[in-house]
Amino acid sequence: MRVVIVTESFPPDVNGVAHCALQTARHLVDRGHAPLVVAPAPAPGNKAAASMAPCPVVHVPSLPLPGYPQVRVALFSRRLAAALIQHRPDVVHLASPFVLGVRGMAAAARLGIPAVAVYQTDLAGYARTYMGAGEAAAWRRIRSVHSAADLTLVPSSASMNDLEAHGVPRLKLWARGVDTARFRPELRDEKLRRELAPNGEVIVGYVGRLAPEKHIELLSGVCGLAGVKVVIVGDGPSQPALAEALPGAVFLGRRGGDDLARIFASFDVFAHTGPFETFCQTVQEAMASGVPVVAPAAGGPLDLVDHGRTGLLVPPRDADAVRDAVRSLVADPALRAAYGAAGHATVDGRTWAAIGDQLIGHYADVLAARRAVVAA
């Protein structure tokens, strides 16, 4: 099968869209298919992009998003349509389509190529966060883009409910895999723990972008708990403000690969604070690492965290609830161990290979439906 993956983000970017697009391309190659990636060009001078790709990548000219330079936005370019014509795909995969993906959808329609759209970003939530308005306009765009696809894949039941409520048709659930060979409890590193918490504190960690929509400032109360050390992994525009809002927290910057897996396994509690997650891959990575999770009862974490068994769900944007949930786990090492073990067992079979095979099955269903329409 020949596939063009049109993605709004791709490594060296570090986010859920980029990671999922990379894993999809890798799996297609492993299964003997022929993927091609079309993505915004990385920042000039970034040499990491080419070495990370398992297949050819066409880079479309891009500019940094004002106020958030880690995010690149694709400019108009004929390279996208040319890539589709040259690669002759059986299906076009649109990863979180919004700018480049919209053009990919239009090009696929002109060429008569089936399109599978993957919903991954809560654009309506981002509109509320960054603009204080625009939620209705964001939903109109989401509905327009995804209604044009042959199939939209959604990562969680909460996302499914949102899209159904806003009139998006042809939806199926497609979750995300986790690298259980990389993220595992055995990587817990006592030397690292002593460096992060020299007084033997319980380590409460966050991993992700440092951006307003993540509401990491909700960990301020956790910073005030006796015997607790908060560790923040990631970068982004909110870092200067968070350094003031989270006194005593350790900021490790962006980490990845085996280094990140070692950090995850060395946490005692993982705390996620963002209320706009359509899935929340870092929750799965924490669970794979054997770490209990505290997360908001909203979006993707509703499917991932079994409250009272693998972690604790708290009301979104409630700093007191986050603090109290963390405090209960800090006070009970046996409970932390039980939640961590249950979380690890829960995600043990959620490999990217299994999830990738499901995706290939969705492609096959779309192609069969197109053939049936032509035959009729």
Side-chain angles (χ1 to χ4, degrees):
M1 191 182 303
R2 302 180 68 81
V3 181
V4 169
I5 300 170
V6 181
T7 178
E8 305 290 340
S9 186
F10 197 69
D13 297 349
V14 179
N15 56 59
V17 174
H19 183 67
C20 185
L22 174 64
Q23 294 293 343
T24 297
R26 282 178 176 166
H27 185 72
L28 289 171
V29 170
D30 290 345
R31 290 291 189 259
H33 301 289
L36 171 76
V37 171
V38 181
N46 194 325
K47 304 297 185 183
S51 63
M52 300 182 74
C55 66
V57 178
V58 173
H59 283 130
V60 174
S62 68
L63 288 174
L65 186 67
Y68 200 160
Q70 293 90 345
V71 175
R72 309 282 302 183
V73 179
L75 301 175
F76 177 79
S77 172
R78 292 185 174 88
R79 294 181 190 176
L80 171 58
L84 265 63
I85 293 169
Q86 182 176 3
H87 195 67
R88 296 178 290 107
D90 300 294
V91 64
V92 174
H93 173 120
L94 303 161
S96 194
F98 189 66
V99 178
L100 187 60
V102 171
R103 299 170 195 154
M105 184 81 74
R110 287 196 304 270
L111 296 168
I113 305 168
V116 173
V118 180
Y119 178 74
Q120 290 182 255
T121 306
D122 183 358
L123 295 170
Y126 285 12
R128 290 195 301 272
T129 298
Y130 285 98
M131 296 180 288
E135 184 176 359
W139 274 116
R140 284 195 297 272
R141 188 169 181 84
I142 291 168
R143 184 166 53 248
S144 173
V145 172
H146 286 274
S147 294
D150 292 73
L151 175 66
T152 288
L153 299 176
V154 295
S156 62
S157 57
S159 296
M160 178 79 78
N161 293 338
D162 284 346
L163 292 180
E164 286 179 339
H166 287 88
V168 178
R170 298 180 296 281
L171 304 172
K172 286 190 179 179
L173 189 66
W174 181 57
R176 301 292 178 268
V178 61
D179 187 346
T180 52
R182 167 165 284 169
F183 295 97
R184 60 188 196 277
E186 294 81 8
L187 295 179
R188 188 175 177 89
D189 187 328
E190 293 302 326
K191 180 176 181 293
L192 173 63
R193 288 176 50 79
R194 287 192 295 272
E195 293 172 359
L196 296 175
N199 297 314
E201 298 97 331
V202 174
I203 299 175
V204 177
Y206 166 88
V207 177
R209 291 196 312 279
L210 309 188
E213 74 275 6
K214 300 299 184 180
H215 291 282
I216 307 159
E217 70 281 355
L218 294 174
L219 294 176
S220 59
V222 177
C223 289
L225 294 176
V228 169
K229 176 63 69 173
V230 173
V231 175
I232 307 294
V233 181
D235 62 10
S238 295
Q239 182 162 346
L242 289 171
E244 294 187 13
L246 305 178
V250 176
F251 289 80
L252 296 181
R254 181 188 295 191
R255 300 295 182 93
D258 294 339
D259 185 31
L260 178 60
R262 183 172 62 102
I263 293 169
F264 257 119
S266 299
F267 291 157
D268 295 300
V269 177
F270 179 74
H272 188 81
T273 50
F276 304 125
E277 302 297 329
T278 59
F279 186 73
C280 202
Q281 181 66 1
T282 55
V283 164
Q284 277 206 141
E285 290 168 350
M287 292 169 69
S289 303
V291 178
V293 173
V294 173
L302 288 168
D303 287 353
L304 297 175
V305 180
D306 186 353
H307 180 75
R309 193 179 73 87
T310 65
L312 297 173
L313 293 169
V314 299
R317 297 187 241 192
D318 187 332
D320 290 344
V322 173
R323 181 201 59 212
D324 293 345
V326 170
R327 179 191 282 137
S328 69
L329 291 173
V330 168
D332 194 337
L335 187 63
R336 294 201 305 270
Y339 283 4
H344 177 72
T346 297
V347 303
D348 194 42
R350 296 181 190 171
T351 65
W352 277 107
I355 296 298
D357 286 343
Q358 292 176 15
L359 177 63
I360 292 169
H362 289 310
Y363 292 162
D365 290 344
V366 165
L367 292 173
R370 276 288 184 107
R371 286 194 294 268
V373 170
V374 171

